[in-house]
C-alpha cells in the first residue's frame, strides 16, 4: 500500500501564496456558480451553503472536516450555522492560520483542529453529526479505511459529504494514469495522489455500510473555478514568485493540466451518504 507523507508538500506552502489566487475564505476546492456574473468569492460561499444543505445542517451540529485546508468550511459552518467544528490536516501551517482566523472571527470556541491523518487519529465513535471530505480523499490511499472510519465517528442518521475529482471511468484511468501531466501533478505538486473513477468511491461507501442519497456532477463548476484561479495567478505572478522563482508558472501549469481534462478524462462529483443504521 502506498503511504502518504506526514504532510503534503503543496498544502504546507506559505499561506500567503494561496491568499494570492484563492477567494478570501481560501477555499481550495470547487465553487458553485449560480449565474454568469458570480464572482469567485460569491461562488465559494454558495458552494459552502450547498454542502450545508446536502448535510441537512440546521444549526448547532457537530461537524468534522477531513483535510480541512485553510479552514474555509469549518470557519464558515461555525459562523453561519453555529456548528461545533473540528478540522483534520497533516499540514502544520494550516492549523496556525485557522487558529488565527477563528480568533479574528470570534468563533475560537467552536473551531478546533487536529494535526495528523484521519485514519490514525483517536476520535470518539458516534460523536459527529456530519463529516466532510472536500478534495482530500484523493490523497488517502485506502478508500475502504476512510469510509469505514467516517461511518464509525458518525452518529446514526449522520451524513457524509465527499467531493472529489475522478477519472471519467476505469478505461480513462488506465489510459491516462501514467501520462506525463498526471505524473507532474501527482509527484511534483502533491507528493502523492490517486484519482479514481466514481464507481470506486461508491463501492467503498456502500461496502462501509453507507446509504447513497445524492450524487452531483460539479464538473463545469470546477472548470470555471480553476479559470478564476488561473486569472488570479496571472494577476499576482510577481508576488507569488517572491516566494520562489518560477513558482507562478509551475502553479499555472498545474492548474492548466487540471482544467484540460474536464469532461474528457476527468469529472468532479459530490457524493452524499447517510449512516442510516
Amino acid at each position: 500500500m502506498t503511504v502518504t507523507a506526514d504532510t503534503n508538500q503543496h498544502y504546507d506552502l506559505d499561506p500567503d501564496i494561496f491568499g494570492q489566487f484563492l477567494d478570501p475564505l481560501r477555499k481550495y476546492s470547487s465553487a458553485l456558480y449560480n449565474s454568469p456574473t458570480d464572482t469567485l468569492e460569491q461562488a465559494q460561499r454558495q458552494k459552502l451553503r450547498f454542502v450545508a444543505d446536502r448535510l441537512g445542517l440546521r444549526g448547532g451540529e457537530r461537524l468534522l472536516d477531513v483535510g480541512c485546508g485553510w479552514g474555509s468550511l469549518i470557519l464558515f459552518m461555525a459562523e453561519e450555522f453555529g456548528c461545533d467544528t473540528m478540522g483534520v490536516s497533516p499540514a502544520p501551517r494550516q492549523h496556525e492560520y485557522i487558529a488565527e482566523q477563528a480568533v479574528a472571527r470570534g468563533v475560537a470556541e467552536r473551531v478546533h483542529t487536529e494535526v495528523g491523518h484521519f485514519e490514525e487519529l483517536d476520535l470518539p465513535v458516534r460523536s459527529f453529526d456530519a463529516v466532510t471530505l472536500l478534495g482530500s480523499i484523493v490523497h488517502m490511499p485506502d478508500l475502504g479505511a476512510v469510509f469505514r472510519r467516517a461511518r464509525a465517528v458518525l452518529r446514526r442518521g449522520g451524513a457524509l459529504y465527499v467531493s472529489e475529482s475522478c477519472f471519467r471511468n476505469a478505461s480513462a484511468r488506465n489510459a491516462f494514469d501514467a501520462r506525463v501531466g498526471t505524473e507532474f501533478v501527482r509527484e511534483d505538486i502533491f507528493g502523492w495522489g490517486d484519482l479514481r473513477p466514481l464507481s470506486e468511491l461508491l463501492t467503498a461507501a456502500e461496502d462501509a455500510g453507507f446509504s447513497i442519497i445524492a450524487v452531483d456532477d460539479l464538473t463545469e463548476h470546477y472548470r470555471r473555478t480553476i479559470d478564476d484561479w488561473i486569472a488570479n495567478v496571472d494577476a499576482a505572478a510577481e508576488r507569488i514568485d517572491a516566494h520562489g522563482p518560477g513558482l507562478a508558472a509551475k502553479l499555472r501549469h498545474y492548474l492548466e493540466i487540471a482544467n484540460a481534462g474536464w469532461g474528457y478524462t476527468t469529472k468532479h462529483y459530490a457524493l452524499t451518504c447517510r449512516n442510516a443504521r
Side-chain angles (χ1 to χ4, degrees), residues 20-159:
Q20 298 299 329
F21 72 94
L22 301 180
D23 68 295
L25 292 176
R26 298 193 184 184
K27 184 174 173 297
Y28 201 14
S29 57
S30 178
L32 186 67
Y33 295 84
N34 290 336
S35 80
T37 59
D38 284 349
T39 66
L40 177 62
E41 180 177 3
Q42 289 172 326
Q44 290 292 20
R45 288 184 174 274
Q46 287 160 184
K47 173 63 176 304
L48 290 169
R49 291 193 177 279
F50 171 82
V51 174
D53 180 68
R54 279 287 180 262
L55 292 171
L57 300 185
R58 296 294 178 265
E61 290 87 356
R62 190 152 192 249
L63 181 145
L64 172 66
D65 186 28
V66 180
C68 59
W70 304 102
S72 58
L73 188 143
I74 57 176
L75 291 165
F76 182 88
M77 298 306 179
E79 283 187 287
E80 298 292 323
F81 291 87
C83 290
D84 181 10
T85 65
M86 176 179 288
V88 174
S89 167
R93 281 185 170 180
Q94 294 182 335
H95 296 266
E96 297 165 5
Y97 176 80
I98 292 168
E100 293 171 358
Q101 288 295 307
V103 171
R105 300 179 191 196
V107 292
E109 292 184 357
R110 296 198 296 272
V111 175
H112 316 276
T113 64
E114 291 280 351
V115 179
H117 296 283
F118 173 54
E119 306 95 313
E120 301 168 1
L121 289 175
D122 184 16
L123 298 170
V125 299
R126 303 273 182 167
S127 57
F128 293 94
D129 301 298
V131 175
T132 54
L133 294 96
L134 276 70
S136 55
I137 208 167
V138 68
H139 304 301
M140 307 171 85
D142 191 337
L143 281 182
V146 174
F147 279 99
R148 288 192 300 271
R149 184 78 164 138
R151 184 163 178 258
V153 302
L154 273 172
R155 65 166 176 80
R156 184 171 182 176

Side-chain angles (χ1 to χ4, degrees), residues 146-180:
V146 174
F147 279 99
R148 288 192 300 271
R149 184 78 164 138
R151 184 163 178 258
V153 302
L154 273 172
R155 65 166 176 80
R156 184 171 182 176
L160 169 68
Y161 176 97
V162 178
S163 58
E164 195 53 80
S165 299
C166 302
F167 278 113
R168 187 180 184 94
N169 50 40
S171 62
R173 180 184 189 175
N174 292 337
F176 290 91
D177 198 35
R179 293 281 182 97
V180 173

Side-chain angles (χ1 to χ4, degrees), residues 11-22:
Y11 299 115
D12 211 26
L13 293 172
D14 192 315
D16 180 67
I17 297 170
F18 297 90
Q20 298 299 329
F21 72 94
L22 301 180

